[in-house]
């Protein structure tokens, strides 16, 4: 949808784009929805205060015809795997190698 500007469900060609998708927050315009709101910080202050470091944002693509929606993340290169908090990277990029190709 992002690259072809066409809905994969109904083939609609009118697509709404909402950059840096927001959710309600203290400010009137809300706050950006991060990819992960709870990644631990690295500085001394974050260690002492238990402060967490939100990472990334989403652009929302919505089909005007049927409402089908897709979210595309950006700014997530700083993500760190933290399985205890439910953050994992599934990397199958090497699975095409070997005897079961
Ligand atoms: Zn559609």
């Amino acid at each position: 949808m992002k690259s072809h500007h066409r809905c994969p469900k109904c083939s609609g060609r009118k697509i709404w784009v909402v950059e840096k998708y927001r959710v309600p927050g203290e400010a009137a315009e809300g706050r950006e929805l991060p990819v992960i709101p709870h990644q631990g910080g690295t500085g001394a202050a974050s260690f002492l205060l238990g402060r967490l470091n939100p990472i990334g944002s989403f652009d929302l693509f919505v089909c005007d015809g049927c409402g089908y929606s897709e979210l595309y993340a950006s700014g997530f290169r700083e993500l760190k795997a933290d399985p205890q908090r439910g953050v994992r990277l599934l990397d199958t990029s090497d699975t095409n190698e070997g005897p079961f190709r």
Side-chain angles (χ1 to χ4, degrees):
M1 210 141 95
K2 181 181 180 182
S3 56
H4 299 297
H5 302 159
R6 181 177 189 148
C7 177
K9 303 299 180 187
C10 76
S11 298
R13 290 188 164 274
K14 290 183 181 175
I15 307 293
W16 288 101
V17 180
V18 181
E19 296 178 353
K20 301 207 169 181
Y21 181 70
R22 291 170 172 268
V23 294
E26 300 87 33
E29 68 271 21
R31 60 181 175 80
E32 289 178 21
L33 179 66
V35 174
I36 177 169
H38 58 290
Q39 179 160 286
T42 54
S46 65
F47 177 75
L48 292 172
L49 302 173
R51 188 172 291 163
L52 299 174
N53 183 23
I55 300 289
S57 62
F58 289 102
D59 291 342
L60 171 66
F61 289 66
V62 181
C63 173
D64 187 67
C66 74
Y68 177 75
S69 304
E70 293 179 347
L71 289 171
Y72 290 87
S74 62
F76 58 88
R77 300 298 172 198
E78 302 170 49
L79 275 178
K80 296 182 181 78
D82 187 350
Q84 286 192 325
R85 286 184 162 134
V87 182
R88 297 175 289 143
L89 174 64
L90 302 176
D91 184 354
T92 59
S93 55
D94 291 334
T95 56
N96 285 335
E97 298 173 6
F100 301 108
R101 193 172 208 175

